[in-house]
Amino acid sequence: MKKLDVYLADLMVLNVKFHNWHWNVEGFTFKAVHEYLEALYNDVFEKYDEIAEYQKMTGTCPNASLKEYLAITGVKEIESKKVTCEEAIVAAKKELEYLRDSALAIREEADDFVLANKMEDHVEGYNKQIWFMDSMLKESCCK
């Protein structure tokens, strides 16, 4: 099993997971977190499409079924239920850390400049979002 195939599967499963949190988040900061999660799933989907297109350009037929994805993903599915704003951000941060680590491992093993650069860009994006989430989770100055 190739790491890039797993990464592609992880991106799609996380797209669904981020939608779950986006639809089911509740709390005082609902609007901001709801919109933030939407931005995250849009970003994850763009990365998903980019990786699948890279695979096609390099002669690989990317997996494109949920059955294939669920068989190899490292992402655990969650049930559809209410989630607080803080719970959603904490959980999303863990998932982005997982994606960052996966992208780092792929970058280290990349045998071409294009893939190494794509993974470098993904890592940079994940690091920025993780920083945003860390800042969101700090105690409010208003408490």
Side-chain angles (χ1 to χ4, degrees), residues 72-89:
I72 63 173
T73 187
V75 175
K76 303 274 190 246
E77 288 191 287
I78 57 171
E79 72 179 85
S80 302
K81 65 177 188 172
K82 293 180 200 175
V83 61
T84 67
C85 294
E86 184 175 358
E87 289 169 336
I89 295 301

Side-chain angles (χ1 to χ4, degrees), residues 92-119:
K93 179 180 176 250
K94 286 180 186 173
E95 297 296 358
L96 290 184
E97 290 169 339
Y98 167 75
L99 286 176
R100 179 198 56 205
D101 294 346
S102 296
L104 282 167
I106 293 166
R107 185 196 69 194
E108 291 299 317
E109 294 178 11
D111 57 359
D112 75 74
F113 182 73
V114 173
L115 182 58
N117 280 344
K118 284 183 188 306
M119 292 299 99

Side-chain angles (χ1 to χ4, degrees), residues 10-129:
D10 291 342
L11 289 167
M12 180 47 72
V13 175
L14 276 172
N15 183 276
V16 173
K17 200 170 188 177
F18 285 143
H19 272 85
N20 187 335
W21 292 321
H22 167 78
W23 292 325
N24 292 304
V25 69
E26 294 183 345
F28 183 74
T29 58
F30 162 78
K31 186 174 186 309
V33 173
H34 178 77
E35 290 172 355
Y36 182 68
L37 292 166
E38 182 175 0
L40 287 177
Y41 70 65
N42 285 332
D43 181 62
V44 165
F45 187 79
E46 285 180 28
K47 287 176 172 61
Y48 165 77
D49 190 55
E50 178 186 35
I51 295 304
E53 287 177 352
Y54 168 82
Q55 287 182 309
K56 286 298 290 180
M57 289 187 294
T58 57
T60 300
C61 184
N63 293 332
S65 79
L66 294 176
K67 182 178 179 180
E68 291 170 310
Y69 296 149
L70 291 172
I72 63 173
T73 187
V75 175
K76 303 274 190 246
E77 288 191 287
I78 57 171
E79 72 179 85
S80 302
K81 65 177 188 172
K82 293 180 200 175
V83 61
T84 67
C85 294
E86 184 175 358
E87 289 169 336
I89 295 301
V90 167
K93 179 180 176 250
K94 286 180 186 173
E95 297 296 358
L96 290 184
E97 290 169 339
Y98 167 75
L99 286 176
R100 179 198 56 205
D101 294 346
S102 296
L104 282 167
I106 293 166
R107 185 196 69 194
E108 291 299 317
E109 294 178 11
D111 57 359
D112 75 74
F113 182 73
V114 173
L115 182 58
N117 280 344
K118 284 183 188 306
M119 292 299 99
E120 193 69 33
D121 290 345
H122 287 204
V123 168
E124 180 183 4
Y126 297 137
N127 282 337
K128 186 173 185 178
Q129 295 308 319

